[in-house]
Amino acid sequence: MDDALGRTLDAVGPRLKQLRQRQDITLADLAEETGISTSTLSRLEAGLRRPTLEQLLPLARAHGLTLDELVDAPPTGNPRINLRPIACADGSTILPLTRRPGGIQAYKFVLPRGDDNAEPDLRTHEGHDWVYVLNGTLRLVLGDHDLVLEPGEAAEFDTRTPHWFGATGAGPVEYLSLIGRQGERAHIRAAPKSPPSA
């Protein structure tokens, strides 16, 4: 067994314990759900025993994760991004589309139907944002401007300007957002125009 695989397996125990405690599940409850005894689960979490595939599969299912996510496997060089939607308390969903540290980050946002009478809570932070509406209508309050963006429309702004996003009462909205550090903007390169034919 190579060193990287050994380190990954050695780190599974503390990760299993952290996942279980974060979800507020007892060892007895997890044992009942997975069919793995409480003593075995306890030894796995303490790092006294390395998990087998037969143990990892039901544990991944119980925690709602893939095997790679459960063991926090190192990247394999596969260019496909494993999207992990983030469900928010307000009913919105965020899908990170990039995974590299630093630089411009891409996200897809899905917001539920909004309340047109709701008072926007404007925020500011360092950075630059570019948004593009895919479906629905997006209300963007940007400083003194109150805009409604339709599918195919985009906006770009410095996030130090007070701003707020929301769906309208017309229904949910899906949009893409490119967020960069201060001064880091999304650049769109267009092909040069063809010279007019003679």
Side-chain angles (χ1 to χ4, degrees), residues 103-175:
I104 293 176
Q105 301 296 317
Y107 299 90
K108 178 180 176 183
F109 288 83
V110 182
L111 308 182
R113 177 188 304 272
D115 177 359
D116 292 333
N117 297 317
E119 189 63 33
D121 180 18
L122 277 65
R123 305 284 174 101
T124 62
H125 54 89
E126 288 290 313
H128 203 86
D129 200 347
W130 178 89
V131 297
Y132 178 84
V133 180
L134 297 169
N135 292 301
T137 53
L138 177 69
R139 182 178 175 204
L140 168 60
V141 179
L142 182 60
D144 295 332
H145 302 283
D146 195 337
L147 310 166
V148 175
L149 303 177
E150 302 286 340
E153 291 189 302
E156 185 179 17
F157 59 93
D158 185 319
T159 56
R160 291 177 297 183
T161 304
H163 61 281
W164 175 88
F165 298 102
T168 66
V173 63
E174 297 178 51
Y175 67 95

